[in-house]
Amino acid sequence: MASSAARGPRCRERSRRGRSGRGPAPDGRSRAREGEPRALRELSPLGDPDALGRSDEGVEATKSQNKTVRNQKPKSSPSDPNGPAPAETEAHGEPSRTSENGSVPPPKAPGKRGRKPKAEMLLLKLSQDLECPTPEPICVQKMLGSSEAAEGLETPAAGRPKRRAAKVALLYLQELAEELTSVYQPPAPTEGAQEPEPELEHIQKKRRSRKRKEEETDSDDPARDADFVPSKEVLLQAEEEEGSDAPLSEVSEPELEVLRGHGGKMSSAGRSKPQCRGLAPNGFHNSIMAPVEKCSSLTCSLRDQKYSQWEFPDWIPLAHKWTCLSESEAAPYLPAEEKSPLFSIQREGIEEDGVLYRVNRFNSLQPHEERLDVSFFVGGPVWAMEWCPSPEGSAAPQYVALYCHGSMEETHSVAGLHGGPALLQLWGLGTLQHEQGSADKAELAYAIAADHGCVWDMKFCPSGAWELPTAARKHPQMSRLGLLAVAFSDGKVLLYSLPHPEALQRSKRTQMGPSRSMLSARSVSSTTARSPVGAGTQRASWLVQVQCIATLQVGSIQAGNASECGQCFSLSWMPSKPHHHLAAGFYDGTVAIWNLLTKSLLQCVHQPDGSLKLYPFQCFLAHDHAVRSIEWCKADSNFLVTAGSDRKIKFWDLRRLYEPINSIKRFLSTEVAWLLPYNGVTVAQDNCYASYGLCGIHYIDAGYLGFKAYFVAPRKGTVWSISGSDWLNTVAAGDITGELVAAVLPDLAVNPLNVKRSSDRRFPVYKADLLPCSPTGSEGGEQALPKTRLYSEMVTKSYIRFRDTDLRSFKNFPSREPMRRMHTQEVKAELSLDRLQLESLHKVRFSPNLDSHGWLVSGGQAGIVRAHCLVGLASGMGCQLLPERRARFSSLYGDKPGSPSPAEHSPLPAE
């Protein structure tokens, strides 16, 4: 205790000397070290040693305080370059500065003792690394501005120069930018264009300008910023950023695209910032259309790598496995309703007379001459629908496969297995192009009768299953249209090899006898339809039974019981060649994956009828309840996403299935869509668990980039279906209110947090409203809709009004009536759940084919299926790719009718 008391006065004495900070320092070396960074921080912008000098008063003070330092005389005059330098500047070869008139600034107050700040240490390190005696004058001039060369820095009473940290940061950023820019080589400029600035330096300038803005807003005193004068180049860059109305994430995306190394073919002009300014020819902002151009190029390049021209050569449709049904045999499979409900179509910009249509079963309206939309009645509520893929540039007729319930009031339990009659319909829409539709009506090509219960999902093989309709094949083989996988309510997945309608017509025409006849046109529809492919002959629509190629079932040979997992609700075909894996989600949360080309005796069993029974090679429990949607990653087939009734969305790596990559529990999801270029999925949402104002369509990152969820579009009711177009970077969704809305996504490879005005990216395709009418069929505005769930009562007292948007152009779109109506519905829409939702939409699908990549098909509770063309979203890249792909297709397959498929694609001929 005594020693502590004795040390107390000495410690207090030392602390008082340290706090004073203004007395002479006992050690001269510490004063010299303390003076070195001050001299370095006060570099002259011009770097001229002749114009620099040392204060006599400062030198005398240094000599009196530092006797151990080498004796040096101060410079006799500022113009003497051979004069001795002071100790502080001699260590680093950098002189201090004086003002222009040669006056000596007042002596600096000594700083505090202790550890030097990080800024001083960083500047010391930078100065020691410089080998030349004088710094590069241009760099310092650019960073510190030209005003500091004429006027010296004012030293406040505290003795610390102002804005030293900002100068140090600017110098460091400049050095870092020069090092990185020397490694990165920008692309060569095109002829006649100016040489673009390096992309990375462009990004660094943005960051520096934002940093300066933040520092300038820290204080309201303009005197504190007097020593920092930005250069003209920085001021111009700041004005350029403030004048740009495009969001930061969209404007900077092309620059970051080079660093990410995307495979898209982007020209140097496409990466420049001015391309994101102004409006595109279709009326959208260029920042909205820029990702569309990139996705079109990326989709084309990746499909060349992932898609195949011919797969599954043994699965060829055989004529003797397709049996035509008589009228009595076909009756149980036909939908109950023979006529559609009353409906009218009001198109934006066209004055309609308000005529009400009622279409017969399996019949269609004539396509509109200007808007190209097609409408047809399938007989019942649509719950499964899919486009048939065709090769790029084939200009082939487009087909859509769909399933509808047999009755408008039919319901099915998801808990147990059940069978029953089902009808798969294949509709031909004719030759569709992005800006041109078919002149003929849509027609039912043929229908397949099945006894496995209702259909919850169906998927076509993505590529390699289509061949020319005129391909030379020996009887009983028929040219193949595609391979279709169908998920039934009895827990089985069936694979069908579908023939071209012309090939089926030719083969059955020779086999017709008195006991077996084709289903007459009168029993199917009131009018006959023409052939979907140029024959022009009158014929009947067909209803046939067919033997499937393979039956996919959960279990094993020893215990093959389909009831283990329940019903199958979702399917996903492996998107990359050879497309030999198929994944399915079941009621109990199980995900099963089959190998379609397996030769294993434990996974493949040959049936007496010639078909196959396949068992999965991989099963895992993905959810605690039913798997409502499953989707494969199109860029990498090792990844899979599932959405279940347990309100979870899970991302899986099939190489490590012991736990998901990411699991998100937010709301009840109905369907997911995984677009090609992104690391996340777009999710359709049920509104039962949604928070107020957050129900709708969301983009959710898989967890790799760590982005927050992006709200694509708000919806008031349940979104039953969602579909995405890889060509257009667009998603479309149909909900219970009867509105089909589409949204152009931003570039989700960068953080979507900075995306502004997301409401400008979405637009309605059409809106279906259920309105009351009188029993005679005329409109009755004073009547109210009946509160009933019976279709027979609802159809007699109401009609459906479709209000279509003019999709040819989006100019002045925010002020147009469809946009105002959509925004009003998003805020004030009301749901009437105590009646039959006859206007609701259940399925929406974008065409995956390049020839018809702008076409969108939708169907719902009323059984009316409609096809629309998004002409306004045509991209320059898509229009450029189409002629190239058509020339490539012609060179590969030949343009003469009846030319066979390539030799390497032809399967073994039949005996």
Side-chain angles (χ1 to χ4, degrees):
M1 296 298 291
S3 60
S4 302
R7 285 198 305 269
R10 290 195 298 271
C11 294
R12 288 192 293 270
E13 181 66 22
R14 283 197 299 269
S15 64
R16 283 195 297 271
R17 290 201 303 267
R19 284 194 303 269
S20 63
R22 304 183 184 272
D27 190 359
R29 290 176 295 179
S30 63
R31 292 289 302 143
R33 287 195 302 269
E34 186 175 352
E36 286 173 2
R38 295 180 184 275
L40 290 175
R41 286 192 299 271
E42 297 171 2
L43 288 173
S44 172
L46 301 177
D48 187 6
D50 296 338
L52 303 177
R54 180 72 176 174
S55 172
D56 294 339
E57 183 180 354
V59 173
E60 293 298 332
T62 305
K63 287 183 179 180
S64 62
Q65 295 176 6
N66 246 337
K67 295 183 179 180
T68 59
V69 180
R70 188 172 44 181
N71 294 328
Q72 293 181 354
K73 295 180 180 181
K75 289 184 180 181
S76 58
S77 65
S79 62
D80 186 10
N82 299 325
E88 288 87 342
T89 61
E90 186 176 356
H92 297 283
E94 297 181 4
S96 62
R97 64 184 180 88
T98 60
S99 59
E100 291 182 353
N101 55 7
S103 62
V104 180
K108 304 182 182 68
K112 297 180 181 181
R113 297 178 59 185
R115 188 175 181 180
K116 295 180 175 55
K118 292 183 179 180
E120 297 182 7
M121 298 298 296
L122 179 60
L123 187 57
L124 254 168
K125 184 177 180 182
L126 290 176
S127 62
Q128 291 174 0
D129 293 339
L130 298 175
E131 297 293 340
C132 56
T134 57
E136 185 179 357
I138 299 179
C139 299
V140 180
Q141 177 82 13
K142 183 185 296 184
M143 285 313 203
L144 301 182
S146 58
S147 63
E148 288 192 13
E151 300 179 3
L153 291 175
E154 295 183 2
T155 304
R160 180 172 180 175
K162 304 169 184 176
R163 285 287 179 177
R164 292 180 298 183
K167 298 175 188 176
V168 172
L170 292 175
L171 288 173
Y172 173 72
L173 288 177
Q174 184 192 17
E175 295 292 335
L176 182 61
E178 290 177 356
E179 292 178 5
L180 296 179
T181 309
S182 61
V183 177
Y184 167 70
Q185 298 295 334
T190 57
E191 296 182 0
Q194 297 181 357
E195 182 178 358
E197 190 178 4
E199 308 295 339
L200 191 58
E201 186 177 355
H202 191 60
I203 300 173
Q204 294 291 341
K205 286 183 178 181
K206 289 182 181 180
R207 294 176 180 173
R208 290 198 299 268
S209 62
R210 289 198 301 269
K211 183 67 176 178
R212 291 193 188 100
K213 291 178 184 178
E214 294 175 0
E215 292 176 353
E216 290 173 2
T217 56
D218 290 343
S219 174
D220 296 330
D221 186 9
R224 295 184 59 183
D225 298 332
D227 59 306
F228 178 71
V229 180
S231 63
K232 294 181 179 180
E233 184 179 358
V234 175
L235 290 176
L236 291 175
Q237 180 68 20
E239 293 176 0
E240 190 179 60
E241 284 194 355
E242 292 176 358
S244 175
D245 56 350
L248 178 62
S249 63
E250 298 168 10
V251 173
S252 60
E253 181 275 327
E255 289 88 343
L256 297 177
E257 174 69 22
V258 180
L259 303 179
R260 287 197 304 268
H262 269 268
K265 301 178 182 178
M266 298 288 291
S267 61
S268 60
R271 289 190 296 265
S272 60
K273 181 178 178 180
Q275 292 296 328
C276 291
R277 298 178 181 175
L279 298 178
N282 61 355
F284 272 142
H285 198 276
N286 277 324
S287 61
I288 298 177
M289 293 302 298
V292 178
E293 298 284 346
K294 188 188 75 171
C295 286
S296 298
S297 176
L298 184 63
T299 300
C300 183
S301 60
L302 287 184
R303 284 196 176 188
D304 290 340
Q305 304 173 12
K306 303 289 185 180
Y307 277 16
S308 173
Q309 297 177 3
W310 187 253
E311 296 293 341
F312 306 102
D314 298 332
W315 292 355
I316 304 299
L318 302 176
H320 61 81
K321 293 186 178 181
W322 289 70
T323 306
C324 299
L325 300 181
S326 63
E327 296 184 13
S328 59
E329 293 173 339
Y333 300 97
L334 296 178
E337 298 299 328
E338 296 184 358
K339 292 182 180 295
S340 70
L342 288 173
F343 67 94
S344 65
I345 302 176
Q346 295 182 0
R347 299 175 177 88
E348 182 191 7
I350 300 178
E351 293 185 3
E352 303 283 350
D353 54 0
V355 60
L356 295 177
Y357 301 96
R358 190 187 294 273
V359 182
N360 295 321
R361 183 176 57 193
F362 305 146
N363 200 5
S364 117
L365 295 179
Q366 187 71 25
H368 197 268
E369 296 180 358
E370 297 182 13
R371 305 298 170 82
L372 310 178
D373 58 275
V374 182
S375 303
F376 52 93
F377 180 58
V378 299
V382 179
W383 283 101
M385 185 164 50
E386 198 70 25
W387 288 81
C388 179
S390 61
E392 300 171 2
S394 62
Q398 303 296 310
Y399 292 93
V400 174
L402 57 89
Y403 163 80
C404 68
H405 287 338
S407 172
M408 289 291 184
E409 303 168 4
E410 183 177 347
T411 58
H412 299 273
S413 174
V414 298
L417 301 176
H418 58 84
L423 188 68
L424 303 177
Q425 304 177 26
L426 183 69
W427 283 80
L429 303 183
T431 303
L432 303 178
Q433 299 180 8
H434 191 71
E435 298 181 357
Q436 182 179 356
S438 176
D440 299 329
K441 295 181 179 180
E443 71 148 5
L444 179 65
Y446 54 81
I448 300 176
D451 297 296
H452 300 280
C454 64
V455 176
W456 293 120
D457 197 9
M458 59 175 64
K459 288 292 188 299
F460 274 97
C461 181
S463 70
W466 185 93
E467 63 179 342
L468 285 172
T470 56
R473 292 199 175 276
K474 295 181 180 180
H475 186 78
Q477 289 186 345
M478 298 179 290
S479 57
R480 189 172 68 184
L481 177 65
L483 292 174
L484 180 64
V486 184
F488 288 97
S489 59
D490 63 350
K492 296 181 180 179
V493 178
L494 270 61
L495 293 182
Y496 294 99
S497 180
L498 302 182
H500 282 277
E502 303 90 336
L504 184 61
Q505 179 184 5
R506 289 193 300 266
S507 62
K508 290 303 177 184
R509 188 178 297 162
T510 60
Q511 297 180 3
M512 291 179 61
S515 59
R516 288 284 182 180
S517 63
M518 309 303 291
L519 183 62
S520 65
R522 294 182 180 273
S523 64
V524 179
S525 63
S526 60
T527 60
T528 58
R530 288 192 296 172
S531 174
V533 182
T537 58
Q538 299 292 329
R539 67 171 179 84
S541 298
W542 295 344
L543 195 150
V544 296
Q545 275 188 332
V546 59
Q547 182 180 332
C548 64
I549 293 293
T551 301
L552 280 59
Q553 186 173 318
V554 179
S556 61
I557 297 178
Q558 292 82 3
N561 188 6
S563 62
E564 294 179 358
C565 300
Q567 299 184 37
C568 181
F569 293 117
S570 55
L571 294 174
S572 182
W573 212 304
M574 183 177 178
S576 59
K577 57 183 179 184
H579 310 295
H580 60 294
H581 288 170
L582 184 68
F586 290 86
Y587 171 76
D588 66 342
T590 299
V591 171
I593 304 177
W594 291 270
N595 183 2
L596 304 179
L597 298 179
T598 182
K599 301 298 181 182
S600 172
L601 299 178
L602 299 178
Q603 300 175 11
C604 179
V605 179
H606 292 267
Q607 300 297 311
D609 56 2
S611 64
L612 301 176
K613 179 179 285 188
L614 300 178
Y615 294 98
F617 73 95
Q618 197 170 37
C619 289
F620 61 96
L621 188 63
H623 293 271
D624 298 334
H625 212 281
V627 180
R628 305 189 66 166
S629 182
I630 186 171
E631 192 76 15
W632 227 303
C633 178
K634 299 175 183 177
D636 191 342
S637 298
N638 291 319
F639 299 99
L640 196 73
V641 62
T642 57
S645 296
D646 56 357
R647 300 169 53 191
K648 292 182 180 179
I649 300 174
K650 297 184 179 181
F651 295 87
W652 300 91
D653 187 347
L654 297 179
R655 297 163 296 185
R656 294 179 292 272
L657 288 174
Y658 50 85
E659 63 177 356
I661 299 175
N662 193 11
S663 179
I664 304 168
K665 184 175 182 180
R666 295 187 57 180
F667 38 67
L668 186 60
S669 304
T670 56
E671 195 172 15
V672 298
W674 198 331
L675 269 68
L676 179 62
Y678 301 133
N679 295 317
V681 295
T682 312
V683 185
Q685 178 184 359
D686 197 327
N687 64 344
C688 59
Y689 292 104
S691 303
Y692 180 77
L694 294 180
C695 177
I697 310 168
H698 300 260
Y699 171 81
I700 297 178
D701 183 68
Y704 178 74
L705 298 177
F707 294 159
K708 292 184 178 180
Y710 170 65
F711 198 14
V712 179
R715 300 283 88 193
K716 276 296 182 181
T718 297
V719 183
W720 284 115
S721 179
I722 189 171
S723 178
S725 173
D726 296 327
W727 299 104
L728 301 177
N729 191 43
T730 304
V731 294
D735 56 20
I736 195 173
T737 64
E739 186 169 21
L740 176 59
V741 63
V744 182
L745 297 178
D747 185 6
L748 297 173
V750 295
N751 197 339
L753 186 62
N754 296 324
V755 175
K756 299 178 181 178
R757 299 187 298 272
S758 61
S759 60
D760 295 343
R761 296 178 172 272
R762 60 181 181 267
F763 55 92
V765 179
Y766 70 85
K767 175 70 171 68
D769 296 311
L770 190 63
L771 302 177
C773 69
S774 62
T776 58
S778 60
E779 300 181 12
E782 298 181 357
Q783 300 179 6
L785 291 174
K787 305 295 183 180
T788 178
R789 290 189 170 274
L790 297 178
Y791 174 78
S792 58
E793 297 180 11
M794 184 66 70
V795 73
T796 56
K797 299 180 181 180
S798 62
Y799 76 101
I800 302 174
R801 181 182 64 185
F802 295 103
R803 290 186 286 181
D804 292 5
T805 305
D806 186 3
L807 302 174
R808 297 175 298 177
S809 175
F810 299 98
K811 295 181 179 179
N812 301 322
F813 208 51
S815 60
R816 285 161 56 176
E817 193 272 337
M819 284 292 288
R820 296 199 306 267
R821 182 183 68 242
M822 183 190 70
H823 293 317
T824 303
Q825 290 288 332
E826 292 174 352
V827 178
K828 301 180 180 179
E830 296 182 359
L831 296 178
S832 299
L833 302 180
D834 54 351
R835 63 172 176 84
L836 180 64
Q837 301 292 331
L838 197 60
E839 72 276 18
S840 66
L841 299 177
H842 297 159
K843 280 297 173 181
V844 176
R845 287 295 179 264
F846 263 112
S847 173
N849 305 321
L850 177 61
D851 297 87
S852 58
H853 66 277
W855 284 83
L856 177 67
V857 66
S858 58
Q861 179 67 34
I864 301 173
V865 178
R866 308 194 67 205
H868 293 79
C869 182
L870 278 62
V871 182
L873 285 182
S875 61
M877 182 62 64
C879 298
Q880 179 183 356
L881 288 173
L882 194 55
E884 298 176 359
R885 295 295 166 170
R886 287 181 178 175
R888 177 180 175 181
F889 180 84
S890 299
S891 62
L892 180 62
Y893 289 92
D895 51 0
K896 296 181 180 180
S899 58
S901 301
E904 65 270 18
H905 300 161
S906 300
L908 296 176
E911 298 180 357

